Amino acid sequence: MDRRQRDIAVVGWVSFLVASAATMLFFAWIDPQEMSQVAESPLPHDRMSGYALGFFFFWAVTAAAAALTVYLIRTRHGHPPPQD
């Protein structure tokens, strides 16, 4: 795999693991069915949909943070890029 493919794989895997942990911790205290009653959104009101939406939200946020980190590391100034 070249460097870009490795970066994408690392961002995807790390963000998946962090999103899994964040989902477990968040939904240990918050019931998604109660959240949907408070929010009055047009989204489905069952627990499994809430868990899925929460997981994908956490995954997107952590993937964005990891991708930004990789971008900032790869584009630092004053150092030549590493040769792989």
Side-chain angles (χ1 to χ4, degrees):
M1 289 193 328
D2 66 347
R3 188 175 71 174
R4 173 172 272 182
Q5 290 173 333
R6 256 193 334 256
D7 288 346
I8 291 170
V10 167
V11 166
W13 181 242
V14 168
S15 61
F16 175 82
L17 293 176
V18 173
S20 298
T23 301
M24 287 186 283
L25 291 173
F26 182 77
F27 289 119
W29 287 284
I30 306 295
D31 182 15
Q33 200 164 21
E34 290 179 13
M35 282 179 47
S36 67
Q37 292 172 356
V38 173
E40 296 179 12
S41 65
L43 297 174
H45 295 287
D46 62 334
R47 281 190 176 94
M48 294 306 285
S49 297
Y51 293 141
L53 289 174
F55 172 76
F56 286 117
F57 170 76
F58 288 130
W59 198 1
V61 170
T62 55
L68 180 62
T69 302
V70 169
Y71 172 76
L72 291 174
I73 289 172
R74 296 288 186 204
T75 59
R76 63 185 173 182
H77 298 288
H79 300 284
Q83 299 296 322
D84 292 336

